[in-house]
Structures are given as structure tokens and as C-alpha cells.
């Protein structure tokens, strides 16, 4: 790897910066919004257990593989996969991983931006004191009136997309490292605070039972598919985001150690979010199965009853918005870095181009909560289809290809060198990536799509 090449491809300033940026990508709406609501829809404890198993057995080796491919190639996912296939003397068709990733990122960001818009809208509502002293019906009404208003949704979707484009246009290093460094600890502090507040409430015990006492009678093939999909989604895995972040990683940092911290941070924040939200649900006699609105209806309720609730609500929704923001940028980064490195398109123009296309697709997601909510396929709205297709199909498929390439196509000497692993640890990774993770994804696919009878 020549010094010249390193100059044209940016790098994080330190190993910590890589961990924080990747954790910034991983920790987002997936942890705070999606995890609690799919856990609620899928019966709680058993889902959490299956999700943790997917994380450990399938997602971890793939995360390590994806970071490794990125750093080995020192390039954007599309050119990077082309380069690695050339070096390994295998088919250039593996570039598909990069192209699929760009497409998946585009699809995810289109609806992600809509939900980030909800979080932004909630900052405004909190500042207006809308939640102070609100009861369950009021809070539900606030959410329902937000999503049933196409104009408001489109406005906040646009703001979210503009924020995303702005950071990506400036390059990942400018400001992002700093934002994650301040945001992450603050988010944890507030969640712990809310958790502490919940401990004394009547809903605490039923919530712990709901989350940690598994009821396997509720588990179906689709439950497992959703749990697996979420393991990918929450770690930003399977579409090149972690690959491109890995490509900016300093050469001397350990990929395995960094991966470990990303997973620990991400999982801790997701579980904490659940332990904050479900006590509120059970204390107020609400149903855990509220779908996508769950977090937006429970948090304001608890905050509205607290002494410092007015301020906490503002800070909390700002943090949720920032968490979403640092994730959203990683969804476009693979595309933007490709356009720059391959065709020399300036970041500003490629960010605008990608932003306009993504925004347009996102309009349909926004409208699927109101004007076109009757248009469904398999009982899912446009938003629901986008969510299912990306998280449960495209990400696991992408992750499977990444693991297969890393284990079977890259020369073993190269992967061992890049990972800095030898002996037993290397073999463990290799077996997990070569056999266990791909087989796991394949089984869950067949089962989830009802093909195993
Ligand atoms: N991981 C983020 C979250 O949990 C979402 C995200 C960002 C993502 N980049 C990604 C998901 C890439 C899949 C792929 O909110």
C-alpha cells in the first residue's frame, strides 16, 4: 500500500475516532425506535434472546469481515471489491457486493429520513411544552396527528435530508468525530436517568419480565427473520457502510477490538432503550404492540410527568435526532465516496444528487402513513415493504456475500495479516465467517419465507 494511495483516501485521526464514528453509525433509530417496537410486536423475551444469538453467531464474524475488506482495499466499496477480487484472482462479479450496498443504502435512507423527521418534529413539540402533564390519550393524539399530516411529514423529511447532505458534503471527518464524542456519552446518561426513574414504577417488574422471560410460543419463522435482520440493521452491516468506515481506519488498529466495542456499545444502548420504554408502557396500561409509533408515544408520556420533564424531553429528542443523523450519513457515504474516487465528482454534487433521489423515494414512505395508507402489499404499506425488504432481505444477503468472500476468496495469509490474528482465534473467525454465518442466514431465509415447511 503506497503512501500516495493513502493520501488520496482519507483516514480517521485515531483508532478511537474510528470506533466512535462506527458506533455513531450503528447507534441510531435502530436502537431507540426500531428495537423496542419490533420487540413489542414480536412478544418480547424470546425475540431478545434470538436477536442476541444472531448478533453473536452471525453478525459478529460478518462485522469483522466487513471492516477487514474495507481496510484491506483502502477504497470505496465498489472499487474496493473490484480491487480485492483482482488481487485475489477471482471473478470481478464480487463487485456486486458494492453495488448492492449502494442500492440498499439508498432504499434505507429514504424511509430512515422520514423517521428522523419525526424525531426532529418532536424536538419542536417538546420545546412548545406539548408533553407537559400530557396523558396517554393526548400523547397518542400528538403522534397520530403528526403522521396523518402529509405536509408536516414532508417538511421534516426535507429538513432531515438537508442535514444529512450537509455533513456528507463536508466529508466525514469534519465535525463528525466531535459530534459523536459528545453525543454518545450524553445519550447514555439520559437513558440511565430515565431508567432510574422507571425503577420505582409499577410497570418495572412486568417490563423486565416481558423483555427477559422468553415465551417461545410466540416465535415464528418470521420472528427469527426479523431478529436476524435487525442484528444487521442495528450494526449498519451488510451494505458497505462499515466497509467504507473501515477503509478510513488507521493501519495499526486492531479490527477485532474495535468491533468488540462497537457491538457492546450498540447492544447496551438498545437494551437500555427497551428498559426505559417498556416500564412506561406497562405502568400506563398501554399495549407493547403499537408498531412504529411506540417510542414516540411512550417517552413523552413519562417525560411529561417528570419534574424536569420539559427540559429532558427537549434534550432527549435532540439526542435521538443526532443519533439518527450520525447514522444517516453512513448510508450515503459508500455512494459518495465511489462517485468521488471513481469519477472525481465533488462531494457536494454527489451528495446533492444522492440526496434528491433519496428524498424523492422517501416521499412515498411519508405518504404511506396518510394519503396512500390503503395501498398495501402482503398487508404492508410502502414504508413497511421498504423496511422489510432492506433489513430482512437485502442486508442479510449482503452480509452473507461479504462473509463468503472474506473467508473463501481472500487469501488466508492476507486476511490473517489484516485481522492481526493467528492460531485458534483466526480459525474461529474463519469457521464462523466461512460456514456458520452464511449457513445461519440461509436457514433463517428459508425458514422465514416459509420454505422449510
Ligand atoms: N445502524 C443504524 C441504526 O441502528 C442505521 C444504519 C446506518 C444502517 N447505516 C446503516 C443500517 C447501514 C444498515 C446499513 O439506526
Amino acid at each position: 500500500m503506497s503512501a500516495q494511495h493513502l493520501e488520496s483516501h482519507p483516514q480517521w485521526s485515531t483508532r478511537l475516532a474510528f470506533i466512535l464514528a462506527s458506533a455513531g453509525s450503528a447507534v441510531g433509530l435502530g436502537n431507540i425506535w426500531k428495537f423496542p417496537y419490533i420487540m413489542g410486536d414480536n412478544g418480547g423475551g424470546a425475540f431478545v434472546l434470538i436477536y442476541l444469538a444472531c448478533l453473536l453467531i452471525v453478525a459478529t464474524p460478518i462485522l469483522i469481515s466487513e471492516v477487514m475488506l474495507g481496510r484491506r482495499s483502502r477504497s470505496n466499496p465498489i472499487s474496493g471489491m473490484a480491487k480485492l477480487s483482482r488481487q485475489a484472482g477471482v471473478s470481478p462479479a464480487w463487485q456486486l457486493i458494492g453495488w448492492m450496498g449502494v442500492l440498499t443504502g439508498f432504499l434505507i435512507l429514504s424511509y430512515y429520513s422520514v423517521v428522523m423527521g419525526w424525531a426532529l418534529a418532536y424536538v419542536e413539540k417538546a420545546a412548545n411544552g406539548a408533553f407537559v402533564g400530557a396523558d396517554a390519550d393526548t400523547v397518542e393524539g400528538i403522534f397520530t396527528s403528526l403522521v396523518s399530516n402529509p405536509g408536516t411529514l414532508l417538511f421534516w423529511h426535507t429538513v432531515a435530508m438537508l442535514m444529512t447532505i450537509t455533513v456528507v458534503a463536508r466529508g466525514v471527518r469534519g465535525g463528525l468525530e466531535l459530534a459523536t464524542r459528545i453525543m454518545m456519552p450524553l445519550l447514555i446518561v439520559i437513558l440511565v436517568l430515565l431508567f432510574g426513574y422507571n425503577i420505582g414504577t409499577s410497570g418495572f417488574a412486568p417490563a423486565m419480565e416481558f423483555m427477559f422471560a422468553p415465551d417461545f410460543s410466540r416465535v415464528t419463522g418470521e420472528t427469527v427473520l426479523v431478529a436476524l435482520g435487525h442484528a444487521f440493521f442495528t450494526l449498519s452491516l451488510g451494505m458497505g457502510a462499515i466497509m467504507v468506515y473501515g477503509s478510513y481506519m488507521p493501519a495499526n488498529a486492531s479490527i477485532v477490538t474495535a468491533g468488540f466495542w462497537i457491538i457492546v456499545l450498540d447492544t447496551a444502548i438498545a437494551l437500555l432503550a427497551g428498559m426505559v420504554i417498556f416500564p412506561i408502557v406497562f405502568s400506563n396500561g398501554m399495549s407493547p404492540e403499537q408498531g412504529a409509533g411506540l417510542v414516540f408515544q411512550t417517552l413523552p408520556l413519562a417525560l411529561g410527568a417528570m419534574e424536569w420533564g420539559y427540559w429532558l424531553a427537549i434534550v432527549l429528542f435532540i439526542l435521538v435526532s443526532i443519533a439518527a443523523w450520525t447514522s444517516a450519513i453512513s448510508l450515503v457515504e459508500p455512494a459518495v465516496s465511489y462517485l468521488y474516487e471513481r469519477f472525481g465528482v465533488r462531494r457536494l454534487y454527489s451528495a446533492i444528487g444522492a440526496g434528491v433521489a433519496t428524498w424523492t423515494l422517501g416521499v412515498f414512505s411519508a405518504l404511506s402513513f396518510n394519503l396512500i395508507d390503503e395501498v398495501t402489499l402482503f398487508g404492508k404499506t410502502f414504508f413497511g415493504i421498504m423496511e422489510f425488504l432492506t433489513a430482512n432481505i437485502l442486508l442479510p444477503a449482503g452480509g452473507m456475500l461479504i462473509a463468503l468472500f472474506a473467508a473463501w476468496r481472500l487469501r488466508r495469509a492476507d486476511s490473517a495479516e489484516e485481522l492481526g490474528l493467528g492460531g485458534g482465534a483466526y480459525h474461529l473467525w474463519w469457521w464462523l465467517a466461512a460456514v456458520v454465518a452464511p449457513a445461519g442466514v440461509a436457514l433463517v431465509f428459508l425458514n422465514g419465507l416459509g420454505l422449510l415447511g
Side-chain angles (χ1 to χ4, degrees):
M1 188 182 323
S2 67
Q4 201 184 359
H5 187 87
L6 284 181
E7 263 165 33
S8 65
H9 195 75
Q11 229 185 87
W12 305 112
S13 49
T14 59
R15 184 188 69 149
L16 183 68
F18 164 75
I19 295 179
L20 286 174
S22 307
S25 163
V27 175
L29 295 168
N31 306 60
I32 303 164
W33 160 72
K34 192 172 179 194
F35 182 62
Y37 108 66
I38 55 179
M39 187 202 310
D41 286 350
N42 286 282
F47 177 83
V48 174
L49 219 80
I50 297 168
Y51 157 77
L52 290 175
C54 292
L55 210 59
L56 212 68
I57 302 168
V58 181
T60 303
I62 296 182
L63 178 82
I64 292 172
S65 308
E66 189 171 334
V67 177
M68 174 187 70
L69 294 184
R71 194 170 70 178
R72 191 81 196 162
S73 73
R74 286 257 179 250
S75 184
N76 66 81
I78 295 175
S79 319
M81 285 311 299
K83 183 169 156 190
L84 291 177
S85 335
R86 212 179 316 114
Q87 283 172 357
V90 301
S91 162
W94 286 100
Q95 235 189 95
L96 178 72
I97 292 176
W99 286 109
M100 232 173 87
V102 167
L103 172 74
T104 310
F106 161 67
L107 297 179
I108 295 179
L109 184 59
S110 75
Y111 66 82
Y112 202 85
S113 159
V114 172
V115 182
M116 177 172 159
W118 298 354
L120 292 169
Y122 267 55
V123 175
E124 192 211 2
K125 290 182 195 303
N128 286 335
F131 309 134
V132 177
D135 60 16
D137 286 339
T138 313
V139 174
E140 197 188 314
I142 292 175
F143 181 74
T144 316
S145 81
L146 171 69
V147 295
S148 60
N149 187 332
T152 318
L153 281 193
L154 289 181
F155 171 76
W156 290 111
H157 167 52
T158 310
V159 175
M161 197 58 86
L162 284 173
M163 287 168 66
T164 307
I165 293 177
T166 307
V167 178
V168 176
R170 283 162 175 253
V172 182
R173 213 164 158 178
L176 188 71
E177 291 189 10
L178 188 70
T180 31
R181 195 167 302 189
I182 300 170
M183 180 278 286
M184 207 70 76
L186 209 60
L187 182 63
I188 295 179
V189 168
I190 297 227
L191 285 177
V192 169
L193 217 80
L194 285 171
F195 173 70
Y197 168 82
N198 276 332
I199 291 180
T201 62
S202 62
F204 188 73
M208 290 303 116
E209 187 171 333
F210 178 75
M211 279 183 70
F212 298 112
D215 171 8
F216 285 100
S217 69
R218 307 242 352 220
V219 174
T220 64
E222 183 165 332
T223 314
V224 186
L225 182 62
V226 172
L228 178 79
H230 189 65
F232 282 90
F233 186 88
T234 192
L235 291 175
S236 305
L237 215 55
M239 53 76 55
I242 286 297
M243 200 184 288
V244 83
Y245 276 25
S247 77
Y248 305 145
M249 190 179 175
N252 57 1
S254 157
I255 291 175
V256 177
T257 314
F260 170 82
W261 281 112
I262 295 166
I263 292 175
V264 167
L265 266 175
D266 187 78
T267 311
I269 293 183
L271 290 175
L272 201 54
M275 292 190 289
V276 163
I277 284 149
F278 287 107
I280 305 172
V281 169
F282 291 109
S283 292
N284 292 282
M286 301 164 102
S287 155
E289 294 174 50
Q290 292 177 40
L294 180 69
V295 170
F296 292 95
Q297 300 180 36
T298 50
L299 289 181
L301 190 60
L303 292 160
M306 287 169 69
E307 188 155 355
W308 292 91
Y310 172 78
W311 295 104
L312 275 179
I314 298 177
V315 177
L316 181 80
F317 284 108
I318 289 179
L319 289 175
V320 174
S321 303
I322 296 178
W325 194 9
T326 55
S327 299
I329 52 174
S330 70
L331 287 160
V332 242
E333 182 61 20
V336 168
S337 62
Y338 170 67
L339 290 172
Y340 177 69
E341 291 178 358
R342 180 72 178 76
F343 302 108
V345 182
R346 285 185 36 205
R347 291 188 75 95
L348 176 66
Y349 300 130
S350 47
I352 292 177
V356 169
T358 316
W359 181 88
T360 309
L361 186 68
V363 168
F364 293 96
S365 276
L367 297 186
S368 76
F369 287 95
N370 37 70
L371 299 182
I372 54 170
D373 61 354
E374 308 272 284
V375 184
T376 57
L377 190 68
F378 303 119
K380 290 179 167 43
T381 62
F382 186 82
F383 179 90
I385 292 166
M386 282 292 142
E387 243 194 317
F388 190 86
L389 176 71
T390 51
N392 303 341
I393 309 286
L394 290 170
L395 293 179
M400 185 178 185
L401 292 175
I402 286 170
L404 289 173
F405 181 87
W408 294 102
R409 284 296 174 251
L410 218 59
R411 275 189 304 250
R412 306 241 185 137
D414 291 347
S415 52
E417 181 194 41
E418 200 61 45
L419 291 176
L421 292 178
Y426 178 79
H427 282 111
L428 179 65
W429 166 78
W430 191 86
W431 273 102
L432 288 173
V435 180
V436 178
V441 173
L443 278 176
V444 175
F445 266 174
L446 293 176
N447 189 31
L449 304 175
L451 301 178
L452 286 188

